[in-house]
Amino acid sequence: MASQPVILYSATGCPLCAKYKTLLSSKGVRYEERDTTAQPALLNELAAKGIRQVPTVFVGDKHVAGFRPTALLELLPA
C-alpha cells in the first residue's frame, strides 16, 4: 500500500511543531513541512478547512490539529 502524504503545518519558533518534527523523524516518516511564518498564505489554506492553529498534521485526508501525538500516531502507517 502506498503511504499517504504527511504534511506538517508549522510556525517558526513553535516548540510543539519541533516536537512533531522529532516524532515524525524518529518514526522514519517522510513529511512535507509548510511553515506558516515564512508563508502566511498557508494559514488561509488551513482556515479554509476550519483549522486555526499550528501545529496541524495531515495524513492523507485526515488531520490532527494541535499537539496530540497519540492521535497522530494512530493515523500514521505502522
Side-chain angles (χ1 to χ4, degrees):
M1 176 178 112
S3 64
Q4 301 184 69
V6 177
I7 301 169
L8 167 63
Y9 285 86
S10 66
T12 301
C14 163
L16 296 178
C17 301
K19 286 186 178 183
Y20 264 156
K21 290 184 222 179
T22 301
L23 174 69
L24 290 167
S25 296
S26 73
K27 297 287 180 192
V29 175
R30 293 176 54 149
Y31 64 94
E32 175 188 339
E33 181 177 0
R34 295 188 181 171
D35 186 334
T36 62
T37 305
Q39 297 177 278
L42 292 171
L43 290 171
N44 297 333
E45 266 180 41
L46 286 175
K49 296 177 166 86
I51 301 163
R52 306 216 178 269
Q53 64 182 351
V54 294
T56 293
V57 181
F58 280 84
V59 180
D61 58 356
K62 298 185 170 74
H63 74 275
V64 175
F67 187 69
R68 296 177 23 227
T70 306
L72 176 59
L73 290 173
E74 289 172 5
L75 292 182
L76 293 173

